[in-house]
Amino acid sequence: MNSIEKAERIRRMKGVEPVSCLTGYDFATGKLLDEAGVDLVLVGDSLGMVVLGFPDTTHVTMDHMLHHTAAVARGVERALVVGDLPIHSYGSPAEALANARLLVAAGADAVKLEGGLKQVDKIGAIIDGGIPVFGHMGMLPQRVLEEGGYKKKGKSDDEVEAIIEGCLALEAAGCFAVVLESVVGAAAARVTAALDIPTIGIGCGVGNCDGEIAVISDVVGAYPWFVPPFAVVRADVAGETKRAAEEYISALKV
Ligand code: KIV
């Protein structure tokens, strides 16, 4: 299956089966997630926090994204690999297309960018260039500094209408799916019902979207210093890593 067919497969999952999405940042994790059967692996700019140790995603560059996208792509055979366009990499349609092409050259099948109506011309340029685009609405982490924190979205009727309008614009521009981040559950359900493309929720409650995305470090318990309140932690990789390292050190020092 080529990249466009893989993205089309995700688009057609709406109303048929939930779309499973996880972030991945390196070869081994990409390979393990693919072997586990995940539908989509996102090389998210969340790598700025959970891999590179920055306070938020605003420090992530194209060089970071290309390095990690290439590593993940080497490990994934079946799932759709999406590379995030980082902040300041899609200021104009030409810049968006040029950087999307670099992510594809690194191994991505598709790219993701944040925002609604204002991004339609950039999304159009990328899709006209033959590259599938994953939208991102609701709370937009690249705007955390302007907004003064991570705020829940969809609390008022006006806000819900604006999210729906933005998502419909993304759908009309040709996005194959859209991430909904930190949107009030009932509002996320309204957005999901208004769209023909799948909504992929994170922090939107259970059953309000057509699929889910989670940060892999949260799922496996690899980043214990900050765990979002909505995350379901299913393993203790941090604890096991520390335990194994302590055992290794003790065995050496006896
Ligand atoms: O960067 C990221 O990991 C994301 C997901 C949380 C949707 O954008």
Side-chain angles (χ1 to χ4, degrees):
M1 236 189 241
N2 67 31
S3 299
I4 292 174
E5 288 165 347
K6 283 184 181 182
E8 182 57 17
R9 177 186 160 266
I10 302 279
R11 193 181 70 76
R12 285 172 188 262
M13 287 171 77
K14 187 174 178 105
V16 178
E17 61 172 300
V19 186
S20 60
C21 311
L22 284 165
T23 66
Y25 312 107
D26 59 42
F27 168 81
T29 309
K31 196 167 173 58
L32 289 169
L33 300 184
D34 200 43
E35 287 174 5
V38 77
D39 295 309
L40 182 154
V41 179
L42 170 68
V43 188
D45 60 1
S46 51
L47 73 83
M49 287 99 87
V50 298
V51 176
L52 302 177
F54 292 122
D56 54 56
T57 64
T58 66
H59 303 262
V60 177
T61 65
M62 272 303 291
D63 280 351
H64 295 139
M65 292 310 308
L66 292 172
H67 186 75
H68 288 271
T69 299
V72 169
R74 283 192 282 273
V76 176
E77 285 175 17
R78 185 198 38 79
L80 184 85
V81 175
V82 180
D84 244 346
L85 281 165
I87 191 165
H88 307 315
S89 73
Y90 51 100
S92 68
E95 188 186 24
L97 176 59
N99 283 320
R101 282 188 171 139
L102 290 176
L103 285 169
V104 168
D109 293 301
V111 299
K112 178 169 79 59
L113 56 80
E114 296 185 6
L117 293 172
K118 287 192 185 147
Q119 310 301 6
V120 162
D121 54 347
K122 293 126 192 176
I123 291 167
I126 300 170
I127 292 174
D128 285 350
I131 301 170
V133 178
F134 195 11
H136 189 150
M137 287 290 289
M139 202 278 289
L140 305 178
Q142 291 175 8
R143 295 206 192 143
V144 66
L145 300 180
E146 286 114 286
E147 297 207 352
Y150 298 101
K151 310 255 163 77
K152 197 91 182 168
K153 300 291 176 181
K155 283 186 172 167
S156 67
D157 245 14
D158 282 355
E159 223 173 68
V160 182
E161 289 307 327
I163 296 171
I164 292 176
E165 189 187 9
C167 286
L168 286 171
L170 297 184
E171 178 175 294
C175 287
F176 66 86
V178 59
V179 169
L180 284 187
E181 179 156 358
S182 290
V183 174
V184 172
R190 274 176 67 189
V191 180
T192 299
L195 294 184
D196 289 331
I197 56 172
T199 56
I200 309 297
I202 176 162
C204 297
V206 178
N208 298 313
C209 294
D210 299 302
E212 287 285 326
I213 187 156
V215 170
I216 190 64
S217 327
D218 297 338
V219 175
V220 302
Y223 191 86
W225 306 280
F226 174 74
V227 181
F230 53 77
V232 180
V233 182
R234 298 176 190 274
D236 182 20
V237 165
E240 273 299 284
T241 304
K242 234 168 151 179
R243 188 202 55 72
E246 283 163 2
E247 200 177 295
Y248 170 83
I249 294 163
S250 313
L252 198 69
K253 301 253 183 206
V254 282

